[in-house]
Each structure stands twice: as structure tokens, then as C-alpha cells.
Amino acid sequence: MIVVTGATGTLNGATVEHLLKRLPADRIGVSVRDVAKARHFADRGVRVRQGSYEDPAALRDSFAGADQVLLVSGNDPTADMVGLHRNAIEAAVEAGARRILYTSQQGVATDGPYPPAAVHAATETILAGAGVAWTSLRYGFFSHSFAPLLGPWRETGVIAAPADGPVPWTAPADLSEATAAVLSGERSFDGAVTLIAGEAVTLDDFAGIASELSGRSVERVVVDDEQWVADQTADGVPEPAARFMLTMFRATREGYFAQQDPLLAELLGREPRGVADRLAEQIGA
């Protein structure tokens, strides 16, 4: 059995949908905080059990009988996410899982400028010492999350932001499909693997793509880091949130997300969706 956590969320919910196309429903289970929200899976024969990273006993029950467990990474900046991930890993081991998979992120680093990268690094260290097979799925940044970086370019014709570097923005739908292929396929992936779109782009690239798609000139303007934070707070963004976003700009320009990897395309059997596709959808919305 494959047990998927976070299955009432968009990403892992879509992974379960793809698994249902590949496997009988009785080979799939989900571990969710609120079982009522997973009724649409239960009605189709998926095993639904309550579990949360804060409750190891419930997790062990929700993981019982699993050969593989897919753990979704948490993103609460106020919580001890490494400790919660440890709870989930230990529960999966105690439940007898043969392999644990974890939704990590490209750019894992213990000392980089982007704080979540250190959480993923620490979690991967725990996985490596857990005594069972493990796979860390290092996802590319989701392609629906670049809008805050671009700012109100559609109104101003300007992308004004700090200096940046290349990022392979990746469609969550592609990641869900590929993750289901990893879980249900015959090929084993040990350790960390990177799942990213085929093209890494900068904000200069965005300006060019936006100009072509919108039929108007879009200019890229580099703004000093502190001035950008001040501009964001003046527009109502809380300063901690602005400074957190600034760490992402720093990580991109220091090359933490510049790598390329063909694995996502191999798993999909086609090229992943690109930035131009997603930007065209936003312009047309």
C-alpha cells in the first residue's frame, strides 16, 4: 500500500488522483487531519485515516500496512518543522514502511540565504539516518507563486524587483503527475532527486515573455534590496514577509536554483509546462 499525507491539499490531492489512474484504490491510503475532507477518496475505495505530524500515535495508525509513505513538507514558519518532520519519519519507520518519500525543494542547503532550504536539508539528514530506503523529491518552485515577485507589471509595464538569478519555475500539476509515477513505477529512486522544469528563467526573461504575450513593452528594473523592502512595506506587505521574500531573490542570484535536470521530463514522457504557458494563462484570466 502507498499512503499519502496532505491529500486534502492541492498538490498531494492531485498525486492521489494520478495514483488512482495507475493503481487499484485498495492499494492507496491517505493520512489527513480532517477525514471529512477526504470523503471523495473514501467513496472511491481509498483508505482514509486521521493523522497529523503533531500526533505520532495517530500517524502510526494511519501508516499501518504501508510499503511506501509520501510525506508532504510543512511550511509553517512559526512551527518546529524539522521536529514535526522527524515525528512523521519515525512514525513511518515504526509502522513498517519500506520506503519514505518526502516533498523537498530544489536548492537544499544548510547555510544558504533561503531559510526553508535548511529545513529540507535537516529533514533529508533525518531520512538518511532512518534505516529504511528513502527518496527526497526536490521540487522546483511552483509556477503559480512567481506573481508576487513580478509585482503589478500588468498595470505599470515594469517588473521592479531586486537583482535575481535563474529559476526553473515548475507546474505543480506536472510535479503531482511525476510523483505518482515515482510511487507506482518499477524504477527505484534512492536519496535526493530533482524534479524541475526544463528552462530556468530570470526576471529579464519574464519581461521578454510578458512583452511578447501581452503585445506591450514590459521593462525590467533592478531595485536596491532595502529600497524594495521599503516599497513593499509602503504597499502594505508586513516587513517580515518582505524580508522573507528577499531571501529568495538572494538565493536565486547566488545560483541556488540554477541547476538543470531532465528527470521530470523523463517521468512525464513530455516536456514540462514552461513559464510562458503559465504566464499566458494569467494574462488570459
Side-chain angles (χ1 to χ4, degrees), residues 5-281:
T5 67
T8 55
T10 301
L11 184 69
N12 276 11
T15 298
V16 174
E17 292 290 351
H18 283 291
L19 284 173
L20 284 167
K21 298 174 184 177
R22 293 170 169 267
L23 300 171
D26 62 6
R27 291 182 56 190
I28 305 168
V30 298
S31 174
V32 296
R33 288 180 177 275
D34 185 348
V35 296
K37 293 182 179 179
R39 179 169 294 179
H40 60 295
F41 289 136
D43 290 344
R44 294 153 70 187
V46 173
R47 190 183 80 180
V48 176
R49 291 186 179 177
Q50 194 278 330
S52 71
Y53 291 1
E54 294 87 354
D55 187 345
L59 276 182
R60 286 192 296 272
D61 178 68
S62 68
F63 295 160
D67 296 312
Q68 299 184 85
V69 173
L70 174 63
L71 302 177
V72 65
S73 54
N75 59 5
D76 182 351
T78 67
D80 174 16
M81 290 316 312
V82 175
L84 293 174
H85 292 163
R86 184 188 299 275
N87 288 348
I89 292 166
E90 292 177 348
V93 172
E94 292 167 7
R98 294 186 299 106
R99 178 178 295 275
I100 303 171
L101 298 95
Y102 167 75
T103 62
S104 185
Q105 188 176 54
Q106 180 192 18
V108 168
T110 57
D111 57 357
Y114 186 59
V119 172
H120 293 305
T123 302
E124 289 183 0
T125 298
I126 296 169
L127 282 166
V132 300
W134 63 282
T135 307
S136 182
L137 304 167
R138 293 181 175 177
Y139 290 164
F141 274 99
F142 298 163
S143 60
H144 61 63
S145 59
F146 56 64
L149 304 180
L150 302 182
W153 69 269
R154 296 175 70 175
E155 292 76 26
T156 65
V158 174
I159 298 175
D164 70 309
V167 178
W169 296 97
T170 309
D174 287 343
L175 294 170
S176 295
E177 183 178 344
T179 299
V182 170
L183 285 164
S184 61
E186 296 180 356
R187 180 180 174 187
S188 294
F189 296 89
D190 294 314
V193 297
T194 302
L195 300 177
I196 55 176
E199 180 184 22
V201 298
T202 65
L203 292 186
D204 280 331
D205 297 322
F206 266 105
I209 295 168
S211 296
E212 183 175 350
L213 291 174
S214 65
R216 58 182 291 203
S217 176
V218 178
E219 181 184 5
R220 163 72 167 117
V221 174
V222 177
V223 180
D224 173 77
D225 287 359
E226 291 304 316
Q227 182 59 53
W228 182 82
V229 170
D231 292 343
Q232 291 291 300
T233 56
D235 288 339
V237 177
E239 184 174 349
R243 292 201 174 278
F244 176 81
M245 193 176 299
L246 180 62
T247 67
M248 183 177 171
F249 283 108
R250 289 181 56 204
T252 68
R253 69 190 183 219
E254 291 176 25
Y256 281 91
F257 310 112
Q259 74 185 99
Q260 296 182 325
D261 196 297
L263 181 57
L264 181 58
E266 292 174 13
L267 291 168
L268 295 174
R270 57 172 171 79
E271 284 301 310
R273 297 170 178 85
V275 161
D277 298 324
R278 182 56 181 150
L279 201 55
E281 292 173 3

